[in-house]
């Protein structure tokens, strides 16, 4: 009988920074309660967005903060919620699944959302003095600390989030981190 060692893994659920905006007459109580008058305003970063650098930096900070908040209570593969460890992992596989609120059947180009996941990965590594990171991995160098060249593995969930305004996330990034370090 061979001894099989399974890899440790953690799942982070990161709510997209954003808010529900009400469209219509705000004085009408009946209109405010109607879900169709609310529209989700998520703040995603895409490769196609042409934002001013200052606006882009504010969005990146929101995503870094959301990632660090999610790292406070992640789901461990062994069960239960724990803090994401810092400084224990030297090589990792990162899988990210993007969940959007909105209509079913909207076609989205997966590669356009790499900018959002890049900020998430940057928040997980050792940061700089100006942008401190969580310290889960030493660096985001592909091949050395990340499993592959195109990390994180990215896909978009086909079904929209079932959220009811004005509550619920306007989008989610579900990140699965799998420890591939040789020494444990």
């Amino acid at each position: 009988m061979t001894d099989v060692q399974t890899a440790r893994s953690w799942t982070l659920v990161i709510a997209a920074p954003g808010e529900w905006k009400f469209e219509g007459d705000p004085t009408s109580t009946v209109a405010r309660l109607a879900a169709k008058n609310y529209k989700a305003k998520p703040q995603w970063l895409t490769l196609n967005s042409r934002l001013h650098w200052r606006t882009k930096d504010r969005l990146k900070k929101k995503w870094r903060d959301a990632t660090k908040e999610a790292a406070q209570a992640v789901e461990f593969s062994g069960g239960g919620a724990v803090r994401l460890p810092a400084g224990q992992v030297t090589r990792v596989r990162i899988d990210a699944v993007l969940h959007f609120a909105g209509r079913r059947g909207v076609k989205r180009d997966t590669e356009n959302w790499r900018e959002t996941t890049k900020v998430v990965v940057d928040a997980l590594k050792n940061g700089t003095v100006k942008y401190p990171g969580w310290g889960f991995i030493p660096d985001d160098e592909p091949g050395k600390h990340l499993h592959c060249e195109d990390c994180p593995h990215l896909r978009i969930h086909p079904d929209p989030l079932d959220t009811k305004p004005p509550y619920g996330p306007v989008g989610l990034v579900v990140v699965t981190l799998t420890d591939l370090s040789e020494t444990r």
Side-chain angles (χ1 to χ4, degrees):
M1 181 175 218
T2 58
D3 187 24
V4 178
Q5 188 174 12
T6 59
R8 297 185 299 171
S9 66
W10 299 267
T11 303
L12 276 76
V13 179
I14 304 165
E19 56 194 35
W20 288 97
K21 294 279 187 182
F22 178 74
E23 294 179 343
D25 180 15
T27 60
S28 169
T29 306
V30 175
R32 264 197 333 252
L33 296 175
K36 64 184 175 186
N37 289 334
Y38 281 94
K39 184 171 181 166
K41 291 289 189 185
Q43 297 174 338
W44 295 93
L45 289 163
T46 68
L47 293 174
N48 290 337
S49 62
R50 304 284 185 246
L51 299 173
H52 187 271
W53 65 268
R54 198 171 292 142
T55 305
K56 197 174 197 175
D57 275 357
R58 276 190 230 115
L59 281 177
K60 285 182 178 183
K61 182 177 182 341
K62 286 181 181 182
W63 275 100
R64 281 192 299 272
D65 291 344
T67 303
K68 290 176 193 174
E69 185 179 315
Q72 291 288 335
V74 300
E75 294 177 23
F76 184 58
S77 58
V82 296
R83 280 177 61 121
L84 190 65
Q88 297 178 13
V89 178
T90 57
R91 188 167 160 82
V92 69
R93 174 187 167 99
I94 303 175
D95 297 296
V97 180
L98 303 173
H99 297 261
F100 295 96
R103 300 183 319 265
R104 180 181 297 277
V106 175
K107 188 171 176 2
R108 292 184 169 93
D109 184 10
T110 307
E111 289 301 312
N112 284 341
W113 306 98
R114 285 233 179 255
E115 188 144 356
T116 296
T117 56
K118 171 71 173 136
V119 174
V120 169
V121 171
D122 284 346
L124 292 173
K125 69 178 187 174
N126 286 336
T128 61
V129 173
K130 187 174 181 181
Y131 303 113
W134 185 261
F136 178 70
I137 52 175
D139 195 16
D140 60 350
E141 185 178 338
K144 185 175 182 184
H145 299 292
L146 296 180
H147 170 65
C148 60
E149 294 290 326
D150 65 339
C151 269
H153 297 282
L154 185 62
R155 74 180 186 88
I156 296 174
H157 198 277
D159 297 327
L161 287 174
D162 185 24
T163 56
K164 304 291 184 237
Y167 309 106
V170 293
L172 291 175
V173 178
V174 178
V175 180
T176 304
L177 306 163
T178 307
D179 183 7
L180 300 177
S181 303
E182 284 127 20
T183 59
R184 280 182 236 193

